[in-house]
Amino acid sequence: MKASNKHSKIINAATKVFAKKGFFNARISDIAKEAKVADGTIYLYFNNKFDILISVFEEEIGNLIVQVEKLLAAEDDPRKMLEIFARKHLTVMKKNKNLAEVIQIELRQSAKLIKDYRNNKFSVYVNMISSIIKLGQEQNIYRASIQPGIAKRAFFGALDEISRMWNVGVTTKYTVEETTQQVLDIFLCGMLEPEVSFL
Amino acid sequence: MKASNKHSKIINAATKVFAKKGFFNARISDIAKEAKVADGTIYLYFNNKFDILISVFEEEIGNLIVQVEKLLAAEDDPRKMLEIFARKHLTVMKKNKNLAEVIQIELRQSAKLIKDYRNNKFSVYVNMISSIIKLGQEQNIYRASIQPGIAKRAFFGALDEISRMWNVGVTTKYTVEETTQQVLDIFLCGMLEPEVSFL
Amino acid sequence: MKASNKHSKIINAATKVFAKKGFFNARISDIAKEAKVADGTIYLYFNNKFDILISVFEEEIGNLIVQVEKLLAAEDDPRKMLEIFARKHLTVMKKNKNLAEVIQIELRQSAKLIKDYRNNKFSVYVNMISSIIKLGQEQNIYRASIQPGIAKRAFFGALDEISRMWNVGVTTKYTVEETTQQVLDIFLCGMLEPEVSFL
Amino acid sequence: MKASNKHSKIINAATKVFAKKGFFNARISDIAKEAKVADGTIYLYFNNKFDILISVFEEEIGNLIVQVEKLLAAEDDPRKMLEIFARKHLTVMKKNKNLAEVIQIELRQSAKLIKDYRNNKFSVYVNMISSIIKLGQEQNIYRASIQPGIAKRAFFGALDEISRMWNVGVTTKYTVEETTQQVLDIFLCGMLEPEVSFL
DNA sequence: AATGAATGAGCATTCATTCAT
DNA sequence: TATGAATGAATGCTCATTCAT
């Protein structure tokens, strides 16, 4: 499985280089050097520079999806499921800063650069959130008035922005676990004191 | 948005061009043409291409801050204040897609490219959220256990991700008003049915 | 004589700037700033950048010619006259390093850049040497076999190369006076021991 | 002058282009076209434009040094040695006008542009003259009062200025051989009639 | 499959010159 | 006369991509 070996070596190298320098500042020769292959070799596995970026997304997020799915499969409670998603996402992003960078920054650019980059794994990933919410609504655990399509964005956006903090270098005293609890606490119970009404 | 002088003509042009093509794909000559000035004229007002980007942020977000501050000044209730922030942010981002693009994408890049781009207007803007939360905590309206530093990120991230939807071209049936209500509803009351406990 | 005042202010400034940065690296705005006039003002007195360079030569070398001519007018002996020329040239070049730079470097370039830059003051200056030699030959002081056209080049080249040393920063233990004596000694008496024959 | 590899093809092309247009007016694309390589190829062999110029000096003068050294190795008489140097220098400069131009003009500029351009081949070349003079002094052929450090400058300056004539387009009726004799005659025997004293 | 030398299109920036005031 | 803001042509250098080996 030599070919596949080169392929993933390049993916891994590209993830690292894109994270460090950003897509536009990354040079093909940087990736080649990091992957310990010749520049030209990269073009045996990818069509162009942009194709590498897309592949990085698909590969890395694909891995993430598999891992989260496995964890969710062992859980029924929609509250726990959301907690599992949040914890896993934040844990991975804190550990794998390169992946975090790429998702936070480069993924956003790519959405603009390729119009037909839809139905991708990123969508699949974020849609796991709305699926959980819908499941909770069916079980009368989440309120029916919540729009899963909006709530999934809000939830993912919250996690994404928080993990962005860590990459920008903002120091924080909170652990992943505490942060996960805070986010869950807000999203499940809201910020209001129990006796205070929402206007 | 009167562009009486060259400086703001260039800022406006750059906002448009960066939004359309992204910072790295934007050429100085594009901005110059859009601003109807000569290429060289741009360098009478800005040090380099990157300086234009930073200026766009500072200028545009500065405007936003002024507007939001004015709206907040007329309000005391921390619940209403958060609503005002959310509504204004989403309204502006929906109307001014160029600004939205630039904030969502280019701002993230710039944070990586310049290490000393701290204490900027963007921070000021996001810190308005935590100020509101702290105010609400003092008034026993928001729960004391909420960490303002985390909650501000979560809240801004939620709004940001939602407005990103609009720019990527995802169609939605919800108005700004409905979306604002959903986000507020989630953040203030949470997603749980009232009688359901958070584990 | 206001106009003439500006004119020479610009010439002086240009001499300084060309010497410091070289013709190609010198900017019009540098000269303008040094002369304390506006950029555009320079074009009221000179046609273009190159015209300034030529004017610097003509002006500065013109001054030199006047001074040397005055000194030579008081002397009859062709040996003394050559000494006067050498001493004056070396003295001025040691004192006015800017002028030296311009003559040594920029003058050479200009000769290539403008084909019709003949019959100029520089030629007049160098021809003073051949005139002295011819005079000496008429008086049977200089050997008739010496070709004044070649000797003038050799003599000027020798002085020029020596003064170039000083500008490049080569330190030397010889004074202008000692150097003048050495050059004269070589050119008048040659380097051979009296009893040794030139093959 | 076989230009088997890219490096020397570029050196040769650069010598020609610098000679024709001067360093600052020469475009990289001119050199590339002359060398029949792509613009970018030049940067595989040289760091920047200036690096090319320095390389031209080192390469071309290096060749000259080798040739002159070989000729001098076969000669003992310091008088003949100086003659050999002069003849070789003038011959090469008359034949290779491009090299002459570059030495006369661009070399001078470069000395100003890079402070650490010392101990270079040009110095080695000029120091061959002072070595010859010192040798002659040890053999009591050249007068002990001659300062080799000054005399080498004078001698080289004389040759340089004479060869400059040829490039500027001044027509002359003297051959290289006659010119060499004139210069030698002046430097070895001086310009005075034998019976006339140096003041 | 793998290499890496070679390519050449592309662009940020500079600066001599102009001209409205 | 004098100004200096505005112009826009010009170019050194980079780097994604190709292709002969």
PDB file of all heavy atoms in Angstrom, chain A residues 79 109 141 143 145 147 174 182 185 187-188 190-191 193 197, chain B residues 79 109 141 143 145 147 153 174 182 185 187-188 190-191 193 197:
ATOM      1  N   ARG A  79     -29.217  14.787  25.670  1.00  0.00           N
ATOM      2  CA  ARG A  79     -28.417  15.735  26.447  1.00  0.00           C
ATOM      3  C   ARG A  79     -26.966  15.263  26.513  1.00  0.00           C
ATOM      4  O   ARG A  79     -26.035  16.009  26.273  1.00  0.00           O
ATOM      5  CB  ARG A  79     -28.999  15.846  27.869  1.00  0.00           C
ATOM      6  CG  ARG A  79     -30.328  16.549  27.913  1.00  0.00           C
ATOM      7  CD  ARG A  79     -31.042  16.312  29.226  1.00  0.00           C
ATOM      8  NE  ARG A  79     -31.403  14.897  29.377  1.00  0.00           N
ATOM      9  CZ  ARG A  79     -32.171  14.409  30.346  1.00  0.00           C
ATOM     10  NH1 ARG A  79     -32.669  15.223  31.262  1.00  0.00           N
ATOM     11  NH2 ARG A  79     -32.446  13.114  30.415  1.00  0.00           N
ATOM     12  N   GLN A 109     -12.347  30.117   3.797  1.00  0.00           N
ATOM     13  CA  GLN A 109     -11.952  30.657   2.500  1.00  0.00           C
ATOM     14  C   GLN A 109     -12.419  29.763   1.376  1.00  0.00           C
ATOM     15  O   GLN A 109     -12.927  30.213   0.369  1.00  0.00           O
ATOM     16  CB  GLN A 109     -10.429  30.760   2.426  1.00  0.00           C
ATOM     17  CG  GLN A 109      -9.886  31.869   3.235  1.00  0.00           C
ATOM     18  CD  GLN A 109      -8.473  32.140   2.847  1.00  0.00           C
ATOM     19  OE1 GLN A 109      -7.740  31.242   2.457  1.00  0.00           O
ATOM     20  NE2 GLN A 109      -8.077  33.387   2.930  1.00  0.00           N
ATOM     21  N   ILE A 141     -37.455  16.260  25.008  1.00  0.00           N
ATOM     22  CA  ILE A 141     -36.409  16.743  25.900  1.00  0.00           C
ATOM     23  C   ILE A 141     -35.988  18.147  25.476  1.00  0.00           C
ATOM     24  O   ILE A 141     -35.754  19.014  26.310  1.00  0.00           O
ATOM     25  CB  ILE A 141     -35.210  15.778  25.876  1.00  0.00           C
ATOM     26  CG1 ILE A 141     -35.575  14.528  26.694  1.00  0.00           C
ATOM     27  CG2 ILE A 141     -33.959  16.435  26.450  1.00  0.00           C
ATOM     28  CD1 ILE A 141     -34.541  13.446  26.637  1.00  0.00           C
ATOM     29  N   ARG A 143     -36.986  21.644  23.452  1.00  0.00           N
ATOM     30  CA  ARG A 143     -38.223  22.355  23.124  1.00  0.00           C
ATOM     31  C   ARG A 143     -38.512  22.313  21.630  1.00  0.00           C
ATOM     32  O   ARG A 143     -37.598  22.461  20.816  1.00  0.00           O
ATOM     33  CB  ARG A 143     -38.128  23.796  23.602  1.00  0.00           C
ATOM     34  CG  ARG A 143     -38.198  23.917  25.127  1.00  0.00           C
ATOM     35  CD  ARG A 143     -38.280  25.349  25.568  1.00  0.00           C
ATOM     36  NE  ARG A 143     -36.978  26.018  25.525  1.00  0.00           N
ATOM     37  CZ  ARG A 143     -36.767  27.224  25.021  1.00  0.00           C
ATOM     38  NH1 ARG A 143     -37.779  27.884  24.479  1.00  0.00           N
ATOM     39  NH2 ARG A 143     -35.568  27.763  25.039  1.00  0.00           N
ATOM     40  N   SER A 145     -39.926  24.446  19.882  1.00  0.00           N
ATOM     41  CA  SER A 145     -39.811  25.743  19.193  1.00  0.00           C
ATOM     42  C   SER A 145     -38.391  26.007  18.692  1.00  0.00           C
ATOM     43  O   SER A 145     -38.171  26.927  17.910  1.00  0.00           O
ATOM     44  CB  SER A 145     -40.239  26.870  20.137  1.00  0.00           C
ATOM     45  OG  SER A 145     -39.370  26.915  21.260  1.00  0.00           O
ATOM     46  N   GLN A 147     -35.378  25.777  16.421  1.00  0.00           N
ATOM     47  CA  GLN A 147     -35.167  25.409  15.020  1.00  0.00           C
ATOM     48  C   GLN A 147     -33.817  24.710  14.904  1.00  0.00           C
ATOM     49  O   GLN A 147     -32.767  25.357  15.060  1.00  0.00           O
ATOM     50  CB  GLN A 147     -35.162  26.652  14.131  1.00  0.00           C
ATOM     51  CG  GLN A 147     -36.442  27.471  14.177  1.00  0.00           C
ATOM     52  CD  GLN A 147     -37.623  26.747  13.534  1.00  0.00           C
ATOM     53  OE1 GLN A 147     -37.451  25.715  12.869  1.00  0.00           O
ATOM     54  NE2 GLN A 147     -38.825  27.261  13.763  1.00  0.00           N
ATOM     55  N   TYR A 174      -9.452  28.003  32.044  1.00  0.00           N
ATOM     56  CA  TYR A 174     -10.428  26.924  32.032  1.00  0.00           C
ATOM     57  C   TYR A 174      -9.920  25.695  31.281  1.00  0.00           C
ATOM     58  O   TYR A 174      -9.285  25.813  30.235  1.00  0.00           O
ATOM     59  CB  TYR A 174     -11.737  27.403  31.394  1.00  0.00           C
ATOM     60  CG  TYR A 174     -12.268  28.631  32.060  1.00  0.00           C
ATOM     61  CD1 TYR A 174     -12.260  29.866  31.421  1.00  0.00           C
ATOM     62  CD2 TYR A 174     -12.754  28.570  33.375  1.00  0.00           C
ATOM     63  CE1 TYR A 174     -12.712  31.005  32.046  1.00  0.00           C
ATOM     64  CE2 TYR A 174     -13.213  29.712  34.008  1.00  0.00           C
ATOM     65  CZ  TYR A 174     -13.186  30.923  33.345  1.00  0.00           C
ATOM     66  OH  TYR A 174     -13.628  32.039  33.979  1.00  0.00           O
ATOM     67  N   GLN A 182     -19.574  24.683  30.658  1.00  0.00           N
ATOM     68  CA  GLN A 182     -20.120  26.043  30.484  1.00  0.00           C
ATOM     69  C   GLN A 182     -20.992  26.127  29.233  1.00  0.00           C
ATOM     70  O   GLN A 182     -22.111  26.626  29.272  1.00  0.00           O
ATOM     71  CB  GLN A 182     -18.967  27.055  30.369  1.00  0.00           C
ATOM     72  CG  GLN A 182     -18.421  27.517  31.707  1.00  0.00           C
ATOM     73  CD  GLN A 182     -19.285  28.599  32.333  1.00  0.00           C
ATOM     74  OE1 GLN A 182     -19.741  29.510  31.654  1.00  0.00           O
ATOM     75  NE2 GLN A 182     -19.557  28.476  33.620  1.00  0.00           N
ATOM     76  N   ASP A 185     -24.110  24.114  29.667  1.00  0.00           N
ATOM     77  CA  ASP A 185     -24.960  24.795  30.638  1.00  0.00           C
ATOM     78  C   ASP A 185     -25.737  25.924  29.967  1.00  0.00           C
ATOM     79  O   ASP A 185     -26.953  26.069  30.145  1.00  0.00           O
ATOM     80  CB  ASP A 185     -24.072  25.341  31.763  1.00  0.00           C
ATOM     81  CG  ASP A 185     -24.885  25.748  32.978  1.00  0.00           C
ATOM     82  OD1 ASP A 185     -25.974  25.170  33.180  1.00  0.00           O
ATOM     83  OD2 ASP A 185     -24.444  26.645  33.700  1.00  0.00           O
ATOM     84  N   PHE A 187     -26.280  26.345  26.658  1.00  0.00           N
ATOM     85  CA  PHE A 187     -27.161  25.913  25.582  1.00  0.00           C
ATOM     86  C   PHE A 187     -28.364  25.112  26.097  1.00  0.00           C
ATOM     87  O   PHE A 187     -29.438  25.170  25.518  1.00  0.00           O
ATOM     88  CB  PHE A 187     -26.391  25.110  24.523  1.00  0.00           C
ATOM     89  CG  PHE A 187     -25.844  25.991  23.452  1.00  0.00           C
ATOM     90  CD1 PHE A 187     -24.666  26.700  23.642  1.00  0.00           C
ATOM     91  CD2 PHE A 187     -26.542  26.170  22.266  1.00  0.00           C
ATOM     92  CE1 PHE A 187     -24.170  27.539  22.658  1.00  0.00           C
ATOM     93  CE2 PHE A 187     -26.063  27.005  21.275  1.00  0.00           C
ATOM     94  CZ  PHE A 187     -24.862  27.692  21.475  1.00  0.00           C
ATOM     95  N   LEU A 188     -28.171  24.368  27.161  1.00  0.00           N
ATOM     96  CA  LEU A 188     -29.304  23.579  27.645  1.00  0.00           C
ATOM     97  C   LEU A 188     -30.190  24.376  28.595  1.00  0.00           C
ATOM     98  O   LEU A 188     -31.416  24.330  28.493  1.00  0.00           O
ATOM     99  CB  LEU A 188     -28.800  22.297  28.325  1.00  0.00           C
ATOM    100  CG  LEU A 188     -28.089  21.327  27.369  1.00  0.00           C
ATOM    101  CD1 LEU A 188     -27.748  20.025  28.082  1.00  0.00           C
ATOM    102  CD2 LEU A 188     -28.944  21.042  26.133  1.00  0.00           C
ATOM    103  N   GLY A 190     -29.652  27.897  29.412  1.00  0.00           N
ATOM    104  CA  GLY A 190     -29.717  29.346  29.202  1.00  0.00           C
ATOM    105  C   GLY A 190     -28.968  30.098  30.290  1.00  0.00           C
ATOM    106  O   GLY A 190     -28.478  29.511  31.249  1.00  0.00           O
ATOM    107  N   MET A 191     -28.930  31.390  30.122  1.00  0.00           N
ATOM    108  CA  MET A 191     -28.138  32.192  31.050  1.00  0.00           C
ATOM    109  C   MET A 191     -28.987  32.829  32.140  1.00  0.00           C
ATOM    110  O   MET A 191     -28.467  33.413  33.095  1.00  0.00           O
ATOM    111  CB  MET A 191     -27.388  33.280  30.283  1.00  0.00           C
ATOM    112  CG  MET A 191     -26.474  32.705  29.185  1.00  0.00           C
ATOM    113  SD  MET A 191     -25.246  33.874  28.568  1.00  0.00           S
ATOM    114  CE  MET A 191     -26.273  35.215  28.059  1.00  0.00           C
ATOM    115  N   GLU A 193     -31.344  33.446  35.375  1.00  0.00           N
ATOM    116  CA  GLU A 193     -31.672  32.859  36.667  1.00  0.00           C
ATOM    117  C   GLU A 193     -33.031  32.159  36.508  1.00  0.00           C
ATOM    118  O   GLU A 193     -33.914  32.688  35.818  1.00  0.00           O
ATOM    119  CB  GLU A 193     -31.778  33.953  37.736  1.00  0.00           C
ATOM    120  CG  GLU A 193     -30.467  34.564  38.163  1.00  0.00           C
ATOM    121  CD  GLU A 193     -29.682  33.649  39.102  1.00  0.00           C
ATOM    122  OE1 GLU A 193     -30.205  32.596  39.494  1.00  0.00           O
ATOM    123  OE2 GLU A 193     -28.509  34.004  39.397  1.00  0.00           O
ATOM    124  N   SER A 197     -37.772  35.775  33.956  1.00  0.00           N
ATOM    125  CA  SER A 197     -38.381  35.408  32.668  1.00  0.00           C
ATOM    126  C   SER A 197     -37.683  36.095  31.498  1.00  0.00           C
ATOM    127  O   SER A 197     -37.061  37.145  31.648  1.00  0.00           O
ATOM    128  CB  SER A 197     -39.859  35.809  32.669  1.00  0.00           C
ATOM    129  OG  SER A 197     -39.966  37.204  32.463  1.00  0.00           O
TER     130      SER A 197
ATOM    131  N   ARG B  79     -31.209  41.817  29.416  1.00  0.00           N
ATOM    132  CA  ARG B  79     -31.829  40.901  28.453  1.00  0.00           C
ATOM    133  C   ARG B  79     -32.060  41.633  27.137  1.00  0.00           C
ATOM    134  O   ARG B  79     -31.722  41.152  26.066  1.00  0.00           O
ATOM    135  CB  ARG B  79     -33.161  40.375  29.015  1.00  0.00           C
ATOM    136  CG  ARG B  79     -32.977  39.436  30.194  1.00  0.00           C
ATOM    137  CD  ARG B  79     -34.275  39.252  30.948  1.00  0.00           C
ATOM    138  NE  ARG B  79     -34.698  40.500  31.601  1.00  0.00           N
ATOM    139  CZ  ARG B  79     -35.696  40.594  32.471  1.00  0.00           C
ATOM    140  NH1 ARG B  79     -36.392  39.525  32.803  1.00  0.00           N
ATOM    141  NH2 ARG B  79     -35.989  41.750  32.997  1.00  0.00           N
ATOM    142  N   GLN B 109      -7.579  35.363   9.397  1.00  0.00           N
ATOM    143  CA  GLN B 109      -6.226  35.227   8.862  1.00  0.00           C
ATOM    144  C   GLN B 109      -5.290  36.224   9.483  1.00  0.00           C
ATOM    145  O   GLN B 109      -4.169  35.904   9.853  1.00  0.00           O
ATOM    146  CB  GLN B 109      -6.246  35.457   7.354  1.00  0.00           C
ATOM    147  CG  GLN B 109      -6.838  34.319   6.598  1.00  0.00           C
ATOM    148  CD  GLN B 109      -6.487  34.437   5.154  1.00  0.00           C
ATOM    149  OE1 GLN B 109      -6.348  35.538   4.637  1.00  0.00           O
ATOM    150  NE2 GLN B 109      -6.335  33.310   4.493  1.00  0.00           N
ATOM    151  N   ILE B 141     -29.804  38.871  37.146  1.00  0.00           N
ATOM    152  CA  ILE B 141     -30.634  38.445  36.018  1.00  0.00           C
ATOM    153  C   ILE B 141     -29.962  37.275  35.310  1.00  0.00           C
ATOM    154  O   ILE B 141     -30.622  36.315  34.906  1.00  0.00           O
ATOM    155  CB  ILE B 141     -30.866  39.627  35.054  1.00  0.00           C
ATOM    156  CG1 ILE B 141     -31.881  40.581  35.704  1.00  0.00           C
ATOM    157  CG2 ILE B 141     -31.359  39.140  33.701  1.00  0.00           C
ATOM    158  CD1 ILE B 141     -32.123  41.830  34.917  1.00  0.00           C
ATOM    159  N   ARG B 143     -27.211  34.165  35.556  1.00  0.00           N
ATOM    160  CA  ARG B 143     -26.686  33.301  36.598  1.00  0.00           C
ATOM    161  C   ARG B 143     -25.215  33.594  36.882  1.00  0.00           C
ATOM    162  O   ARG B 143     -24.431  33.822  35.964  1.00  0.00           O
ATOM    163  CB  ARG B 143     -26.845  31.829  36.196  1.00  0.00           C
ATOM    164  CG  ARG B 143     -28.308  31.373  36.250  1.00  0.00           C
ATOM    165  CD  ARG B 143     -28.429  29.887  36.012  1.00  0.00           C
ATOM    166  NE  ARG B 143     -28.322  29.535  34.616  1.00  0.00           N
ATOM    167  CZ  ARG B 143     -27.574  28.562  34.158  1.00  0.00           C
ATOM    168  NH1 ARG B 143     -26.828  27.849  34.981  1.00  0.00           N
ATOM    169  NH2 ARG B 143     -27.553  28.300  32.861  1.00  0.00           N
ATOM    170  N   SER B 145     -22.953  31.659  37.815  1.00  0.00           N
ATOM    171  CA  SER B 145     -22.039  30.590  37.420  1.00  0.00           C
ATOM    172  C   SER B 145     -21.571  30.726  35.962  1.00  0.00           C
ATOM    173  O   SER B 145     -20.634  30.065  35.543  1.00  0.00           O
ATOM    174  CB  SER B 145     -22.702  29.233  37.619  1.00  0.00           C
ATOM    175  OG  SER B 145     -23.839  29.130  36.770  1.00  0.00           O
ATOM    176  N   GLN B 147     -19.547  32.048  33.030  1.00  0.00           N
ATOM    177  CA  GLN B 147     -18.265  32.741  32.885  1.00  0.00           C
ATOM    178  C   GLN B 147     -18.377  33.721  31.714  1.00  0.00           C
ATOM    179  O   GLN B 147     -18.461  33.285  30.556  1.00  0.00           O
ATOM    180  CB  GLN B 147     -17.132  31.758  32.591  1.00  0.00           C
ATOM    181  CG  GLN B 147     -16.949  30.694  33.647  1.00  0.00           C
ATOM    182  CD  GLN B 147     -16.407  31.264  34.950  1.00  0.00           C
ATOM    183  OE1 GLN B 147     -15.972  32.423  34.998  1.00  0.00           O
ATOM    184  NE2 GLN B 147     -16.473  30.473  36.002  1.00  0.00           N
ATOM    185  N   ARG B 153     -17.676  34.501  23.973  1.00  0.00           N
ATOM    186  CA  ARG B 153     -17.182  33.772  22.806  1.00  0.00           C
ATOM    187  C   ARG B 153     -18.291  32.927  22.188  1.00  0.00           C
ATOM    188  O   ARG B 153     -18.469  32.881  20.986  1.00  0.00           O
ATOM    189  CB  ARG B 153     -16.033  32.840  23.205  1.00  0.00           C
ATOM    190  CG  ARG B 153     -14.790  33.562  23.664  1.00  0.00           C
ATOM    191  CD  ARG B 153     -13.908  33.900  22.492  1.00  0.00           C
ATOM    192  NE  ARG B 153     -12.753  34.676  22.915  1.00  0.00           N
ATOM    193  CZ  ARG B 153     -11.792  35.048  22.086  1.00  0.00           C
ATOM    194  NH1 ARG B 153     -11.859  34.738  20.806  1.00  0.00           N
ATOM    195  NH2 ARG B 153     -10.779  35.752  22.525  1.00  0.00           N
ATOM    196  N   TYR B 174     -35.829  31.848   7.383  1.00  0.00           N
ATOM    197  CA  TYR B 174     -35.994  32.687   8.562  1.00  0.00           C
ATOM    198  C   TYR B 174     -35.538  34.128   8.317  1.00  0.00           C
ATOM    199  O   TYR B 174     -34.541  34.373   7.667  1.00  0.00           O
ATOM    200  CB  TYR B 174     -35.211  32.107   9.748  1.00  0.00           C
ATOM    201  CG  TYR B 174     -35.579  30.681  10.018  1.00  0.00           C
ATOM    202  CD1 TYR B 174     -34.696  29.654   9.718  1.00  0.00           C
ATOM    203  CD2 TYR B 174     -36.843  30.358  10.523  1.00  0.00           C
ATOM    204  CE1 TYR B 174     -35.042  28.330   9.935  1.00  0.00           C
ATOM    205  CE2 TYR B 174     -37.204  29.039  10.745  1.00  0.00           C
ATOM    206  CZ  TYR B 174     -36.310  28.028  10.451  1.00  0.00           C
ATOM    207  OH  TYR B 174     -36.657  26.726  10.646  1.00  0.00           O
ATOM    208  N   GLN B 182     -34.553  33.276  17.993  1.00  0.00           N
ATOM    209  CA  GLN B 182     -34.075  31.914  18.244  1.00  0.00           C
ATOM    210  C   GLN B 182     -32.783  31.918  19.064  1.00  0.00           C
ATOM    211  O   GLN B 182     -32.664  31.215  20.063  1.00  0.00           O
ATOM    212  CB  GLN B 182     -33.829  31.205  16.905  1.00  0.00           C
ATOM    213  CG  GLN B 182     -35.065  30.603  16.277  1.00  0.00           C
ATOM    214  CD  GLN B 182     -35.420  29.270  16.912  1.00  0.00           C
ATOM    215  OE1 GLN B 182     -34.556  28.433  17.153  1.00  0.00           O
ATOM    216  NE2 GLN B 182     -36.701  29.075  17.226  1.00  0.00           N
ATOM    217  N   ASP B 185     -33.440  33.137  22.518  1.00  0.00           N
ATOM    218  CA  ASP B 185     -34.213  32.110  23.227  1.00  0.00           C
ATOM    219  C   ASP B 185     -33.275  31.016  23.747  1.00  0.00           C
ATOM    220  O   ASP B 185     -33.357  30.594  24.902  1.00  0.00           O
ATOM    221  CB  ASP B 185     -35.245  31.529  22.263  1.00  0.00           C
ATOM    222  CG  ASP B 185     -36.297  30.709  22.987  1.00  0.00           C
ATOM    223  OD1 ASP B 185     -36.560  30.999  24.178  1.00  0.00           O
ATOM    224  OD2 ASP B 185     -36.837  29.777  22.369  1.00  0.00           O
ATOM    225  N   PHE B 187     -29.919  31.195  24.146  1.00  0.00           N
ATOM    226  CA  PHE B 187     -28.918  31.666  25.097  1.00  0.00           C
ATOM    227  C   PHE B 187     -29.518  32.070  26.440  1.00  0.00           C
ATOM    228  O   PHE B 187     -28.892  31.921  27.482  1.00  0.00           O
ATOM    229  CB  PHE B 187     -28.088  32.810  24.508  1.00  0.00           C
ATOM    230  CG  PHE B 187     -26.878  32.320  23.777  1.00  0.00           C
ATOM    231  CD1 PHE B 187     -26.984  31.846  22.471  1.00  0.00           C
ATOM    232  CD2 PHE B 187     -25.641  32.264  24.402  1.00  0.00           C
ATOM    233  CE1 PHE B 187     -25.870  31.368  21.796  1.00  0.00           C
ATOM    234  CE2 PHE B 187     -24.529  31.782  23.739  1.00  0.00           C
ATOM    235  CZ  PHE B 187     -24.648  31.328  22.429  1.00  0.00           C
ATOM    236  N   LEU B 188     -30.736  32.590  26.413  1.00  0.00           N
ATOM    237  CA  LEU B 188     -31.319  33.018  27.688  1.00  0.00           C
ATOM    238  C   LEU B 188     -32.029  31.871  28.397  1.00  0.00           C
ATOM    239  O   LEU B 188     -31.867  31.694  29.606  1.00  0.00           O
ATOM    240  CB  LEU B 188     -32.271  34.197  27.462  1.00  0.00           C
ATOM    241  CG  LEU B 188     -31.590  35.474  26.967  1.00  0.00           C
ATOM    242  CD1 LEU B 188     -32.582  36.634  26.923  1.00  0.00           C
ATOM    243  CD2 LEU B 188     -30.403  35.843  27.856  1.00  0.00           C
ATOM    244  N   GLY B 190     -32.136  28.457  27.135  1.00  0.00           N
ATOM    245  CA  GLY B 190     -31.616  27.110  26.887  1.00  0.00           C
ATOM    246  C   GLY B 190     -32.557  26.311  26.021  1.00  0.00           C
ATOM    247  O   GLY B 190     -33.653  26.758  25.674  1.00  0.00           O
ATOM    248  N   MET B 191     -32.112  25.125  25.683  1.00  0.00           N
ATOM    249  CA  MET B 191     -32.897  24.327  24.756  1.00  0.00           C
ATOM    250  C   MET B 191     -33.791  23.297  25.456  1.00  0.00           C
ATOM    251  O   MET B 191     -34.616  22.663  24.827  1.00  0.00           O
ATOM    252  CB  MET B 191     -31.956  23.609  23.777  1.00  0.00           C
ATOM    253  CG  MET B 191     -31.058  24.581  22.998  1.00  0.00           C
ATOM    254  SD  MET B 191     -30.304  23.863  21.546  1.00  0.00           S
ATOM    255  CE  MET B 191     -29.453  22.467  22.249  1.00  0.00           C
ATOM    256  N   GLU B 193     -36.690  21.526  27.631  1.00  0.00           N
ATOM    257  CA  GLU B 193     -38.067  21.749  28.095  1.00  0.00           C
ATOM    258  C   GLU B 193     -37.975  22.152  29.565  1.00  0.00           C
ATOM    259  O   GLU B 193     -37.147  21.608  30.309  1.00  0.00           O
ATOM    260  CB  GLU B 193     -38.871  20.443  27.969  1.00  0.00           C
ATOM    261  CG  GLU B 193     -39.252  20.057  26.552  1.00  0.00           C
ATOM    262  CD  GLU B 193     -40.403  20.920  26.015  1.00  0.00           C
ATOM    263  OE1 GLU B 193     -40.955  21.744  26.786  1.00  0.00           O
ATOM    264  OE2 GLU B 193     -40.703  20.787  24.815  1.00  0.00           O
ATOM    265  N   SER B 197     -34.442  18.246  33.444  1.00  0.00           N
ATOM    266  CA  SER B 197     -33.236  18.739  34.110  1.00  0.00           C
ATOM    267  C   SER B 197     -31.987  18.489  33.265  1.00  0.00           C
ATOM    268  O   SER B 197     -31.962  17.598  32.435  1.00  0.00           O
ATOM    269  CB  SER B 197     -33.059  18.047  35.466  1.00  0.00           C
ATOM    270  OG  SER B 197     -32.568  16.740  35.261  1.00  0.00           O
TER     271      SER B 197
END
